[in-house]
Amino acid sequence: MAKLNWGMIGGGEGSQIGPAHRLGAQADGLFAFTAGALDHRAEAGRAYAQRLGIAPDRAYGDWREMLDGEKARDDKVDLVTVATPNATHFEITKAFLEAGFNVLCEKPMTMTVEEGEEIVRVAEKTGKICAVNYCYSAYPMVRQARAMVRAGEIGKVRLVVTAFSHGHHGDATDADNPRVRWRYDPAMAGVSGQFADCGIHALHMASFICDDEVETLSADFASTIPSRELEDDAMVNFRMSGGTVGRLWTSSVAIGRQHGFEIQVFGETGGLKWFSEQPNQLIYTPVKGRTQIIEKGEGGLHEDAQRLSRVSIAHPEGFPLAVANIYCDLADAIRGETRDGLPNAAAGVRSMAAVHTAVASAKAGGAWMDARPGMFR
């Protein structure tokens, strides 16, 4: 089967997320890296793209040049990844969708709910794929957890508890570091800091595994370092449409925690636990039974977990291969095979609605509010 052509905007030299996308997109031989506008500095972006093997005529200076160049080609890219600063996601994603390209956008998909709803409408109108890189949902054992919930193996879900908390921004003496400071600056990060950065991964994971959507929420935000205008710690309680109770904690000042992304799902007949620092294992406890460790790669797993496991049991599969699983699902979707685990534009706008609702709730002293975007109420 011929490789699909892939292009990337952003994710240039020194980027945190760029290497994960390049490794992920090419891990299974499904995509060829054929075009890129990798840096806001045109010449630096062109030079880096060529060092990565992109032909000079497809090493673009900016995304508009890439859009014009690719539209004119018979061998134009089949998928564009948008890995630029948050505030640019809407404009770039919308332009490429309208021009007939499939898009994978880094989260958050947009800065406002209205922009997110517009992306959903454009994707529906054009018939093109708009996916959002909630890549933690593509770990094999997360897919196993979702399949077990869907199969009724822990009964009706009563409670989901999740956290995404680290301590890497906990040093007040480092608060003015430009790589840290922008995350708490409304002009660059938007209305939310830590919740929009990490908390929405946890919220999406809760919806993904429970196969349900957040309906209402109540939030408490804190800026524990006084110079920060946006929150660096948040607690969000939520209720899902199916009646599940949710608890979420996210923090960037939890010194001692390294990555700290974990989720526990408690049903009527059992419970599940997964944490990203040991992603090959899913812990399962049936009611009145012994706790079991389900290992990635062992026999008897659900189909999605088997399909997305690449290496043999006891060998770790990390973050870049979780990103690669998103690209696997995208390749299938582009070729016409539906993968319902692929996070889409609807997931993106639901996340943005939750962010804005959490901000409003925190300002209102934790008042419970409807967290659904208007188009889904």
Side-chain angles (χ1 to χ4, degrees):
M1 188 177 295
K3 290 184 180 182
L4 297 167
N5 289 328
W6 172 62
M8 189 175 191
I9 302 167
E13 192 166 16
S15 163
Q16 181 179 3
I17 197 65
H21 278 287
R22 288 188 286 275
L23 289 167
Q26 298 172 91
D28 299 282
L30 299 173
F31 291 93
F33 190 18
T34 55
L38 304 183
D39 201 299
H40 67 281
R41 301 164 299 169
E43 292 311 314
R46 289 191 182 99
Y48 187 53
Q50 290 177 63
R51 291 203 301 275
L52 293 175
I54 292 176
D57 64 330
R58 300 182 83 173
Y60 299 103
D62 61 44
W63 69 266
R64 291 181 178 87
E65 183 183 309
M66 178 169 164
L67 179 60
D68 291 339
E70 290 300 305
K71 282 194 300 185
R73 300 184 67 98
D74 293 333
D75 61 346
K76 62 187 177 185
V77 292
D78 298 288
L79 174 69
V80 175
T81 292
V82 179
T84 55
N86 298 353
T88 66
H89 289 179
F90 170 71
E91 182 182 20
I92 299 172
T93 297
K94 183 173 184 285
F96 275 86
L97 287 172
E98 289 178 333
F101 294 90
N102 300 301
V103 177
L104 171 60
C105 184
E106 264 301 327
K107 60 86 196 166
M109 184 177 74
T110 60
M111 297 287 279
T112 70
V113 180
E114 293 76 17
E115 289 175 347
E117 291 182 333
E118 178 67 10
I119 292 296
V120 172
R121 287 190 288 266
V122 171
E124 290 176 347
K125 181 179 178 180
T126 61
K128 292 300 173 180
I129 296 164
C130 180
V132 184
N133 192 35
Y134 288 118
C135 56
Y136 296 99
S137 66
Y139 275 98
M141 300 317 292
V142 171
R143 296 291 179 94
Q144 173 72 13
R146 187 189 201 209
M148 290 177 70
V149 169
R150 284 183 161 185
E153 294 178 41
I154 64 168
K156 178 177 172 55
V157 177
R158 294 168 171 161
L159 175 67
V160 57
V161 180
T162 185
F164 196 158
S165 300
H166 63 83
H168 301 302
H169 301 163
D171 183 357
T173 65
D174 196 42
D176 287 331
N177 180 336
R179 293 176 64 87
V180 174
R181 188 179 61 234
W182 76 268
R183 298 175 185 273
Y184 307 97
D185 179 355
M188 300 184 72
V191 298
S192 171
Q194 177 63 13
F195 185 63
D197 187 25
C198 294
I200 57 172
H201 272 299
L203 197 71
H204 175 264
M205 184 76 85
S207 293
F208 184 83
I209 292 179
C210 295
D211 205 19
D212 202 355
E213 301 296 344
V214 175
E215 189 169 87
T216 60
L217 63 76
S218 166
D220 178 46
F221 283 10
S223 298
T224 66
I225 294 179
S227 62
R228 292 175 177 164
E229 191 170 343
L230 298 177
E231 86 286 351
D232 53 23
D233 188 276
M235 181 67 75
V236 179
N237 294 312
F238 58 92
R239 298 289 190 275
M240 306 185 88
S241 298
T244 298
V245 175
R247 315 292 190 203
L248 185 156
W249 171 51
T250 185
S251 181
S252 62
V253 294
I255 296 172
R257 289 176 70 99
Q258 297 303 317
H259 195 251
F261 187 11
E262 59 190 42
I263 187 164
Q264 294 179 269
V265 182
F266 303 103
E268 293 175 336
T269 61
L272 299 168
K273 180 179 180 180
W274 179 87
F275 45 103
S276 66
E277 292 177 18
Q278 200 162 343
N280 287 353
Q281 296 181 339
L282 178 66
I283 298 172
Y284 166 52
T285 305
V287 66
K288 298 181 180 178
R290 291 182 175 179
T291 295
Q292 305 169 31
I293 297 176
I294 304 173
E295 292 276 358
K296 177 201 67 66
E298 68 184 15
L301 298 181
H302 285 274
E303 187 275 334
D304 232 18
Q306 293 179 9
R307 178 177 66 88
L308 296 176
S309 295
R310 287 173 177 74
V311 295
S312 61
I313 191 169
H315 290 81
E317 292 187 27
F319 183 81
L321 288 185
V323 176
N325 287 340
I326 294 289
Y327 282 96
C328 284
D329 282 354
L330 275 165
D332 287 343
I334 291 169
R335 291 181 169 126
E337 183 175 355
T338 301
R339 294 294 185 189
D340 74 350
L342 185 63
N344 58 15
V349 72
R350 286 184 184 278
S351 294
M352 191 45 53
V355 168
H356 282 267
T357 304
V359 171
S361 172
K363 289 180 178 177
W368 281 90
M369 297 182 177
D370 195 323
R372 297 169 296 177
M375 69 189 314
F376 295 139
R377 293 187 183 183

